[in-house]
Amino acid sequence: MTAAERSVDVLVIGGGQAGLAAGYYLRRAKADFVILDAQEAPGGAWRHFWPSLRLFSPAQYSSLPGRMMPPPPGGGYPSAADTIAYLTDYEQRYQLPIVRPTAVHAVRRGQGRLMVETHRGTWASRTVISATGTWSRPYIPHYPGMGDYRGRQLHTVGYRGPESLAGLRVIVVGGGNSAAQILAELSTVADTTWVSLRPPRLLPDEVDGRALFDLATRRHNAARTGQDAPSIADLGDIVAVPPVRDARERGALKAEPMFARLTPEGVAWSDGTTLAADAIIWCTGFRPALGHLAPLRLRGPDGLIPTDGTRATGESRLHLLGYGDWTGPASATLIGAGRTAKQAVPEIVASLGISSKQ
Ligand code: FAD
């Protein structure tokens, strides 16, 4: 293990929305902290999404603590670029101590501290908040014949817009928001087929990000008291943002069941039906980026790190923020990240014996 060159009370790994929300409350608590972010510039995952992506909610329901996201100039739901602009302004406004680009390779147990190894030296910290998100771990399921397919295959992270696929036969795989939003715009310029494991289910039009957050909170609270509460999945999977509604009105949102394998020309179902395709877009999700925590050996059988709230049950100096509902209600969203950080930071500050100003 390398000797630490710098030492802090709290080290946040990741400068996306979850890391910034933590930074806001750490700043208010006057904690000694730093945020290390692997990217060259602000914005987290939003830097990697396609330009036409729209948030699930209007700006006022897509905000981090302290500062409301301004409504986009043209109205409607904010885009990825609007969100990057907001996050850029946010970290400047609160003068968050972000060191970038700094990629964390490993977190290890040291003498009374966690040692955080980066490509630019090692930090020692009394507490670590991991907020590394999911976009860097795109997931594509394995299907027979994938290697033989001669067309183009890309994951959601590689999709940059419909232009390069105009006029082509494109299969969009997946039953979630990414698939629905990509299909909605691609179906206006390409010959699209939507394929998904289960029939995709649109949420009622009135259910946006705020309603999802309220539901996630109710479910989280109910779970703590041993009660039942409706799951978001009971209502549907896909937020009916305006472009998705348009596609629905055009009849473009019909999905086929999942194919069984790929062929050199396209895909084949188990009943022998085939479909030729020039490109396949795998909108099949992401996995939490937890590789840097591997030396701590905390993962459970499901690949996730068990937590009590945000605190790792196997390492009390480690908190996880963002990623998904397992670290807090809707904590992978802008509104949820703020609420989760608001609970986590006082707990961290108390455990360090710093008097919080919150
Ligand atoms: P990220 O934004 O991914 O930030 C993590 C940061 O950590 C990145 O900068 C990364 O470079 C850095 N990092 C990773 N590993 C390391 C490392 N080892 N060392 C140092 N730094 C590291 N969310 C909403 O809130 N509202 C929406 O309406 C919404 N709509 C969406 C629509 C679609 C179609 C999609 C695909 C996503 C949507 N999301 C929405 C989800 C949202 O984009 C992500 O959940 C969110 O960006 C996660 O924030 P985060 O801070 O946890 O992670």
Side-chain angles (χ1 to χ4, degrees), residues 1 10 21 44 65 67 80 85 105 109 134 138 145 151-152 162 197 219 244 278 308 318 323 329 336 341:
M1 190 189 308
V10 187
R67 166 130 177 91
H105 300 312
R109 295 185 179 89
T134 59
R152 193 170 147 204
L197 269 181
R219 193 165 168 76
V244 170
D278 303 303
D308 179 9
L318 175 69
Y323 301 111

Side-chain angles (χ1 to χ4, degrees), residues 208-252:
D208 64 9
R210 189 170 78 133
L212 291 177
F213 176 75
D214 289 343
L215 257 177
T217 306
R218 272 167 50 201
R219 193 165 168 76
H220 187 78
N221 292 341
R224 289 173 84 106
T225 53
Q227 293 168 326
D228 276 339
S231 152
I232 294 159
D234 296 339
L235 290 179
D237 304 307
I238 296 164
V239 182
V241 292
V244 170
R245 284 183 219 171
D246 289 348
R248 181 185 62 197
E249 306 315 321
R250 281 189 276 115

Side-chain angles (χ1 to χ4, degrees), residues 103-191:
V104 172
H105 300 312
V107 179
R108 300 179 197 279
R109 295 185 179 89
Q111 296 272 323
R113 305 237 162 190
L114 289 172
M115 308 302 285
V116 178
E117 297 172 12
T118 81
H119 76 290
R120 295 165 64 181
T122 299
W123 292 71
S125 185
R126 294 172 70 193
T127 303
V128 167
I129 298 176
S130 187
T132 48
T134 59
W135 73 265
S136 59
R137 287 202 58 217
Y139 170 72
I140 297 184
H142 179 77
Y143 278 87
M146 282 177 108
D148 302 327
Y149 174 62
R150 288 196 287 263
R152 193 170 147 204
Q153 293 188 65
L154 63 156
H155 184 270
T156 313
V157 287
Y159 179 75
R160 304 266 34 105
E163 295 76 19
S164 71
L165 297 159
L168 301 183
R169 298 161 301 178
V170 185
I171 297 175
V172 178
V173 184
N177 287 291
S178 307
Q181 286 202 24
I182 288 175
L183 186 97
E185 66 176 11
L186 208 49
S187 57
T188 61
V189 299
D191 175 6

Side-chain angles (χ1 to χ4, degrees), residues 320-340:
L320 292 108
L321 220 62
Y323 301 111
D325 289 349
W326 55 286
T327 67
S331 67
T333 66
L334 285 151
I335 187 168
R339 306 272 178 97
T340 311

Side-chain angles (χ1 to χ4, degrees), residues 277-315:
D278 303 303
I280 300 174
I281 308 180
W282 297 92
C283 302
T284 39
F286 299 82
R287 297 288 182 262
L290 300 174
H292 56 294
L293 302 174
L296 300 175
R297 298 185 175 276
L298 296 169
R299 286 202 198 210
D302 58 0
L304 303 181
I305 294 180
T307 55
D308 179 9
T310 57
R311 188 186 291 271
T313 51
E315 173 49 79

